[in-house]
Amino acid sequence: MNITWLGHSCFRIEEDGRSVVCDPYAPSYVPGLDDIQVTADAVVCSHDHGDHNYAQAVTLSGKGMPFTHTPLSCWHDDTRGSQRGSNTISVFDLPSGLRAVHLGDLGHMPDEVTLQAMAKPDVLMIPVGGFFTIDAVMAKAVCDALQPKVIIAMHFRSDRFGYDVIAPVESFTALYAADCVKSFEGSRLTVTADTAPMVAVLTPALAKG
């Protein structure tokens, strides 16, 4: 399984030439990121906000969803959607047997039924920046509950990209032992059944400059 971080919460998940894109953002919507132009077999959007729902950015092959996709309903906030509405978690089970989970703009600790439905993923794409989503401490609690092999941080800011009101990734990675955190110059990560556990910090493919 190859995971490419395009930026913000947008990822391309690929295996054996088939792919799905999660949460593409609208043009000029996320500071510091170029517009998305990508191809895939399918696109999923966790909720109807412009930094997550621009499906038009993805040119579809016409082959349809290549993986087993299980959507799980939750909330964009910790008040059952009264502030920011609903959110959908996507669980992808790939032909290789690997599982990838994209949490979208999760705003609360999922209930036990939802946690069980996505438990022990090989890859977990999780928001860590707070304000619009769970913050770093809650993200760590979600990871502790799910026990993913590879954690990929998303929805944070750096000095090059992201919204000023959300926290930098270091607020999350500081909660882990230094030898568990791996920073990558590139945007792509290959995960197999033999990949060692890690917290991965990728460089978004569409970061400007």
Side-chain angles (χ1 to χ4, degrees):
M1 171 171 48
N2 294 313
I3 307 283
T4 301
W5 188 33
L6 299 179
H8 199 47
S9 295
C10 185
F11 289 83
R12 187 175 186 267
I13 304 168
E14 184 268 335
E15 185 174 90
D16 294 334
R18 304 295 307 277
S19 61
V20 59
V21 169
C22 300
D23 281 20
Y25 53 84
S28 304
Y29 216 94
V30 181
L33 296 179
D34 283 329
D35 296 347
I36 296 172
Q37 294 181 339
V38 66
T39 60
D41 297 310
V43 57
V44 296
C45 300
S46 62
H47 63 288
D48 194 24
H49 290 166
D51 55 334
H52 294 262
N53 73 345
Y54 195 68
Q56 302 94 309
V58 183
T59 300
L60 296 176
S61 68
K63 296 179 181 179
M65 175 61 70
F67 313 130
T68 300
H69 175 222
T70 305
L72 303 173
S73 297
C74 59
W75 304 107
H76 197 326
D77 53 53
D78 60 0
T79 57
R80 297 186 64 82
S82 67
Q83 300 173 67
R84 296 191 174 92
S86 62
N87 178 70
T88 300
I89 295 166
S90 283
V91 180
F92 300 101
D93 290 299
L94 281 62
S96 62
L98 298 175
R99 168 174 284 189
V101 175
H102 187 282
L103 294 180
D105 265 5
L106 179 67
H108 62 100
M109 173 62 78
D111 61 29
E112 191 61 33
V113 172
T114 304
L115 289 171
Q116 287 297 321
M118 54 178 173
K120 296 185 178 180
D122 296 282
V123 175
L124 178 69
M125 291 154 276
I126 185 167
V128 302
F131 194 83
F132 301 111
T133 70
I134 56 174
D135 62 11
V137 172
M138 180 63 74
K140 175 67 161 55
V142 172
C143 291
D144 289 347
L146 291 178
Q147 293 293 300
K149 177 183 287 187
V150 176
I151 300 164
I152 303 180
M154 65 180 187
H155 211 283
F156 60 84
R157 67 171 168 84
S158 75
D159 57 358
R160 296 174 59 199
F161 57 82
Y163 297 112
D164 290 343
V165 294
I166 61 179
V169 71
E170 289 79 10
S171 63
F172 177 67
T173 56
L175 302 176
Y176 288 86
D179 60 355
C180 293
V181 179
K182 308 295 182 184
S183 295
F184 295 86
E185 292 296 327
S187 61
R188 181 168 166 167
L189 182 65
T190 298
V191 177
T192 70
D194 298 323
T195 298
M198 73 176 92
V199 177
V201 180
L202 304 180
T203 299
L206 296 177
K208 294 179 179 179

